[in-house]
Amino acid sequence: MALIEDGQYEAGINRLEDGVKDNPRDTKLNIALNHARARSVKALLAQADLDRSTRDFASASEGYRRVLVIEPNNERAKDSLRQLEHLRTLDQRLVQAETDLRRGDVVGAERQVRYILTLDPKHEGALEMRRSIDEVNSRTNVPNPQLRTRLERPVTLEFRDANLKVIFEVLSQVAGLNFIFDKDLRPELKATIFVRDVRIEDAVELLLQQNQLHQKVVNENTILIYPDSPQKTKDYQELVMRTFYLTNIDANTALNMVKTMLKTRDVFVDERLNTLSMRDTADAVRMAEKLLQSQDQSNPEVVLEVEVMEVARQRILDLGMQWPNTFGVLTSDGTPVTILNQLRSIDSSRITISPSPQLRINAQDNDINTLASPVIRVSSREQARIHIGQRVPIVSATSVPSTQGPVITESITYLDVGLKLEVTPVVHLNNEVAIKVALEVSNATPLEPTRQGTIPVQVDTRNAQTTLRLHDGETQILAGLVRNDHGSTGNKIPGLGDIPGLGRLFGSNKDSVGKSELVLSITPRIVRNLPYQSPSDMEFPSGTETSMRIPSQDRAVVGETDSDVAKPMAAQPLAVAPIQTKPAP
């Protein structure tokens, strides 16, 4: 343990292994060895991960190799070494991504960058390339016509009972927009609005909401205004078709989510490819993308290192004299006497006693140390089962009466005995694991068959069920399942066998003492957890119950230059209309 404290993990574990070889039944030494391995592996993996995050790949590789010396089957160390080998090819992949982007293959460039960032999330070249790809997508990915105007300009409107078309005419002059109206729009529509220093886009939205109207962007400087009716919405609202390739979430689950949250009707699921295709408005498609991005996450996984040890000790002492307890008289031909007149000719050759006197000196000493150390990998909220033991056949007979006598039918069933362990882990975001554990250790002893031929089986079992919550790498030991058996049987001459000290000369006693204890050690190691998602990614506005739309800042405005955005708000022109107390003649 001193070597392990000093960081010489291999040397300390070798010393413990030598001790276990010399004392294989030493329970404390076995537990110390397993804890030392777990502690050493945890420390080496943590240091290797730290070296990798600081891009010290040589030290990280050495750390992972030391882990494999202690645990040759450690999958985490093996995967990390394979990833370190792939890191050597990242520069070549970055050059390929730059080449793909220059020739216009954005998809190919994104694939290369995604691969690089999976292995090295802090790769500066890949992060810069991803920003370049995002800029290209923001300039080219415009599914619908966008307004080429300064919608961020502040405007002041003061109208009372004014004709709606007059208000839009004022906005047209200030913003440089063209407003056209549907033929079914009532010409006598009037509006009252008093707003100061609001964006032009917000002012238009307020006017539309007041009068139950909708807008459609026709081109870069033209907006169509139409009534909010189901038929007009079908006629004017542009729809977008999008296919989502799902990785972890089931396509039918995604279908229910999209229909429930977005009220989308045109949705198709391909279970073979696990894809979801939908046809809806651009806002609904972008919301579906955000929802699926937050839900399509891989299920957390954890490796459970379990150690089950059963230490049993049995002492049997059989000491004393076995005296005859049966007296008999035989006839001349060796059969028992049945007739009283034959007793007259009894001699020593015809007298029998059983059993023959004998001295019993027998002592048995049994130690049993059963150790099982399974390592299982299981997904969060899934059950894993381990059975180490036997399947004992149990024969049962059934008698069916018939005209020719009873017909006996035998059947065989199997009973699982031995060590059975069931674990159900739940991985939490704070790197804690809640584990539901059910442990059973049993053995079966066949008894004498019954008259019908059925063989009863006596099953001795010990069960333990609990739920515990551990940190990643924390070890918990469950012990105290102790069973004590003490039995004593005697065969002695009445009276003489009860004399203190001399009683064993007139009888035999058999004493059996048994003691067993069950110890369970469990250590969870999180392999994969859910990624961190900021609240800004998981929460976003979605409009109203009747009008689903995303915020305007999420929409791309084509043609807006940096100089336009940098101008101060006070320098923007204002559109001011006088208050009208009555309609103009």
Side-chain angles (χ1 to χ4, degrees):
M1 300 307 296
L3 290 172
I4 293 175
E5 289 289 343
D6 195 37
Q8 303 180 39
Y9 304 112
E10 297 85 350
I13 291 175
N14 289 335
R15 293 289 300 275
L16 287 172
E17 289 177 346
D18 294 340
V20 171
K21 290 179 181 178
D22 297 336
N23 303 276
R25 297 179 179 178
D26 192 326
T27 306
K28 294 183 178 179
L29 204 56
N30 278 278
I31 295 177
L33 174 58
N34 286 278
H35 287 182
R37 285 176 178 167
R39 179 180 177 183
S40 302
V41 168
K42 178 182 178 181
L44 288 173
L45 287 176
Q47 184 60 42
D49 292 342
L50 180 62
D51 293 337
R52 178 179 173 180
S53 63
T54 58
R55 305 183 64 82
D56 187 359
F57 299 138
S59 300
S61 178
E62 181 183 357
Y64 292 130
R65 295 186 189 280
R66 291 181 64 185
V67 171
L68 292 178
V69 172
I70 300 174
E71 286 187 358
N73 296 324
N74 191 287
E75 294 297 331
R76 182 176 170 186
K78 290 181 179 180
D79 293 340
S80 300
L81 282 176
R82 284 193 292 266
Q83 292 178 4
L84 289 177
E85 292 295 329
H86 292 316
L87 287 175
R88 301 177 181 177
T89 64
L90 295 187
D91 293 337
Q92 299 177 359
R93 288 185 173 270
L94 184 60
V95 173
Q96 182 63 39
E98 295 174 350
T99 303
D100 293 340
L101 187 61
R102 282 197 299 267
R103 68 184 184 185
D105 185 6
V106 181
V107 176
E110 286 180 340
R111 187 184 302 110
Q112 299 292 346
V113 170
R114 192 181 305 113
Y115 180 86
I116 296 173
L117 293 178
T118 300
L119 296 179
D120 187 5
K122 297 182 180 180
H123 196 283
E124 296 180 357
L127 293 174
E128 183 63 30
M129 177 59 61
R130 186 171 65 178
R131 286 190 288 268
S132 300
I133 293 173
D134 292 341
E135 292 177 2
V136 173
N137 288 332
S138 65
R139 293 195 302 266
T140 59
N141 188 17
V142 182
N144 297 316
Q146 302 294 313
L147 292 174
R148 189 184 298 272
T149 183
R150 300 171 182 175
L151 294 179
E152 299 294 330
R153 286 177 131 180
V155 64
T156 296
L157 298 177
E158 297 180 359
F159 289 95
R160 178 182 293 135
D161 294 332
N163 189 282
L164 185 63
K165 294 184 178 180
V166 174
I167 301 177
F168 277 114
E169 182 179 354
V170 174
L171 290 175
S172 174
Q173 296 175 1
V174 175
L177 290 173
N178 299 321
F179 292 98
I180 58 177
F181 303 94
D182 182 81
K183 62 181 181 63
D184 295 329
L185 188 67
R186 294 184 291 118
E188 68 276 8
L189 280 178
K190 298 183 181 299
T192 299
I193 182 171
F194 295 89
V195 294
R196 292 183 177 275
D197 296 334
V198 299
R199 299 186 311 153
I200 294 177
E201 184 177 9
D202 295 336
V204 173
E205 185 66 27
L206 288 173
L207 291 171
L208 296 178
Q209 291 180 1
Q210 278 185 350
N211 298 275
Q212 290 79 44
L213 302 175
H214 275 318
Q215 64 176 349
K216 176 186 177 181
V217 178
V218 179
N219 54 36
E220 61 188 20
N221 63 347
T222 304
I223 296 179
L224 170 67
I225 308 297
Y226 61 92
D228 181 10
S229 65
Q231 184 58 43
K232 292 299 181 179
T233 300
K234 292 180 180 179
D235 294 339
Y236 289 116
Q237 195 172 50
E238 295 288 343
L239 301 180
V240 177
M241 188 172 293
R242 173 76 179 275
T243 298
F244 297 96
Y245 287 85
L246 307 174
T247 304
N248 300 290
I249 188 175
D250 182 69
N252 291 315
T253 303
L255 171 67
N256 294 332
M257 181 181 66
V258 170
K259 283 188 173 182
T260 302
M261 303 299 296
L262 305 180
K263 314 301 180 186
T264 301
R265 293 178 298 176
D266 299 334
V267 189
F268 175 77
V269 164
D270 188 343
E271 296 183 356
R272 181 179 62 89
L273 298 177
N274 199 37
T275 61
L276 180 142
S277 302
M278 61 179 295
R279 184 172 183 262
D280 208 327
T281 63
D283 289 339
V285 169
R286 280 192 283 270
M287 291 180 192
E289 182 178 5
K290 289 180 176 291
L291 284 174
L292 293 175
Q293 183 179 1
S294 62
Q295 295 292 328
D296 192 18
Q297 303 293 338
S298 59
N299 197 23
E301 288 187 338
V302 60
V303 170
L304 298 178
E305 300 175 357
V306 183
E307 182 181 42
V308 181
M309 180 178 297
E310 183 180 16
V311 181
R313 174 173 296 179
Q314 187 178 24
R315 300 288 185 270
I316 299 176
L317 179 62
D318 190 359
L319 180 62
M321 286 289 298
Q322 183 175 5
W323 292 95
N325 55 18
T326 303
F327 176 82
V329 179
L330 301 176
T331 62
S332 58
D333 58 356
T335 59
V337 175
T338 58
I339 301 173
L340 291 177
N341 57 9
Q342 295 183 1
L343 296 176
R344 300 173 182 175
S345 58
I346 293 176
D347 55 15
S348 61
S349 62
R350 296 176 62 187
I351 298 175
T352 63
I353 58 175
S354 65
S356 300
Q358 57 181 346
L359 177 63
R360 302 178 65 112
I361 302 176
N362 185 20
Q364 297 181 10
D365 191 353
N366 299 323
D367 287 332
I368 302 173
N369 190 351
T370 303
L371 181 64
S373 300
V375 178
I376 52 177
R377 180 168 175 170
V378 60
S379 297
S380 179
R381 302 182 185 277
E382 298 291 337
Q383 186 185 71
R385 302 182 64 185
I386 298 174
H387 176 219
I388 302 174
Q390 297 176 338
R391 303 195 68 192
V392 178
I394 301 176
V395 181
S396 59
T398 304
S399 179
V400 179
S402 65
T403 58
Q404 298 179 355
V407 178
I408 299 177
T409 304
E410 292 185 348
S411 61
I412 299 178
T413 58
Y414 290 90
L415 177 66
D416 293 335
V417 296
L419 187 148
K420 290 190 288 186
L421 179 66
E422 295 181 358
V423 289
T424 305
V426 178
V427 182
H428 297 276
L429 288 177
N430 60 350
N431 286 337
E432 289 187 352
V433 183
I435 310 173
K436 184 178 181 181
V437 183
L439 175 65
E440 177 182 337
V441 178
S442 60
N443 55 10
T445 304
L447 302 179
E448 292 295 330
T450 62
R451 293 181 178 180
Q452 291 76 18
T454 302
I455 301 178
V457 177
Q458 175 181 335
V459 179
D460 298 329
T461 180
R462 280 172 292 171
N463 300 286
Q465 292 186 359
T466 184
T467 300
L468 60 156
R469 187 161 178 165
L470 303 175
H471 290 283
D472 181 22
E474 182 182 358
T475 300
Q476 178 64 46
I477 297 178
L478 304 178
L481 296 176
V482 181
R483 173 179 174 178
N484 293 318
D485 297 323
H486 188 189
S488 179
T489 58
N491 185 6
K492 54 189 176 181
I493 299 175
L496 298 177
D498 297 330
I499 299 175
L502 299 177
R504 290 188 180 269
L505 296 177
F506 302 97
S508 63
N509 291 328
K510 183 178 181 180
D511 298 328
S512 60
V513 178
K515 181 178 181 180
S516 62
E517 180 178 6
L518 198 64
V519 180
L520 171 66
S521 171
I522 186 168
T523 304
R525 301 191 185 278
I526 298 176
V527 178
R528 179 176 57 244
N529 205 342
L530 290 175
Y532 171 77
Q533 294 185 358
S534 63
S536 60
D537 294 333
M538 295 185 291
E539 179 180 351
F540 51 89
S542 60
T544 63
E545 182 69 22
T546 58
S547 178
M548 182 182 302
R549 58 197 302 267
I550 64 173
S552 58
Q553 57 266 26
D554 290 344
R555 299 194 182 100
V557 180
V558 180
E560 187 180 71
T561 63
D562 294 339
S563 60
D564 295 332
V565 179
K567 290 181 180 179
M569 300 297 291
Q572 307 291 342
L574 302 177
V576 181
I579 298 177
Q580 298 180 1
T581 57
K582 61 181 180 178

